[in-house]
Amino acid sequence: SQTIHQWPATLVQPVGSPLSLECTVEGTSNPNLYWYRQAAGRGLQLLFYSVGIGQISSEVPQNLSASRPQDRQFILSSKKLLLSDSGFYLCAWLVGGDTGELFFGEGSRLTVL
Amino acid sequence: GQNIDQPTEMTATEGAIVQINCTYQTSGFNGLFWYQQHAGEAPTFLSYNVLDGLEEKGRFSSFLSRSKGYSYLLLKELQMKDSASYLCAVMDSNYQLIWGAGTKLIIKP
């Protein structure tokens, strides 16, 4: 079956610390993968998307980066977190190639103090 | 600029019907989506409209009018578990999804 896993689910980090969020999918190959951030009261903001290994497109200039080291692995990173990086981070997988339907991971809630 | 508008919050009664509206202004149109998101959880797909008209799926229906840049999600026979945020999203001409901020639906007994 097709699944998507994200971890960690929750983390609290100090300003200036590094970040690594991981996302893996199962049950498919060569998926299109996305990282979104959801801030309170705002729509989902696309951060990065990837159509294959090593292929990353950035939508928003910021102190975050993404990598796709393996076909079914997508990693979101930061070298130095800012307060404004707090939010709910969602990894998503394009399951509907014709319709654009996204299937989301469980999410990672980041609080930067 | 591109914009998706939907009410911030709505309240309805268990067993009743509620309509959540969404208006959009985007660079092109390649479909409109509705997702449901329970508090603290990830969004889950509800519906997809690309042609004008009504799509029905059980207790949920979604309507689209491309000429008016308008959609609504209709929820019938409301249940307490329907308490959630409902996100409207439009795919633009570049096949990028533009998301609304979501409508928080509160169901009262």
Side-chain angles (χ1 to χ4, degrees), chain A residues 1-111:
Chain A
S1 64
Q2 299 170 329
T3 59
I4 181 169
H5 297 291
Q6 241 185 279
W7 70 93
T10 306
L11 64 167
V12 180
Q13 296 283 101
V15 169
S17 64
L19 171 74
S20 181
L21 301 178
E22 294 197 30
C23 171
T24 59
V25 297
E26 297 177 4
T28 188
S29 60
N30 198 31
N32 285 3
L33 298 175
Y34 303 78
W35 276 112
Y36 280 94
R37 177 168 60 201
Q38 187 176 37
R42 301 182 65 178
L44 290 172
Q45 180 188 30
L46 179 62
L47 302 175
F48 301 95
Y49 69 93
S50 172
V51 298
I53 296 175
Q55 299 179 65
I56 309 293
S57 295
S58 174
E59 292 296 309
V60 183
Q62 57 207 333
N63 68 320
L64 299 173
S65 62
S67 62
R68 180 102 176 247
Q70 300 180 39
D71 181 44
R72 288 172 283 181
Q73 185 183 28
F74 202 22
I75 298 172
L76 182 70
S77 304
S78 174
K79 293 182 179 178
K80 288 186 177 181
L81 285 168
L82 307 173
L83 285 173
S84 58
D85 291 325
S86 293
F88 192 43
Y89 288 81
L90 291 157
C91 179
W93 160 28
L94 181 67
V95 294
D98 293 336
T99 65
E101 176 188 343
L102 292 175
F103 183 67
F104 288 89
E106 307 96 329
S108 300
R109 185 160 302 280
L110 170 66
T111 302

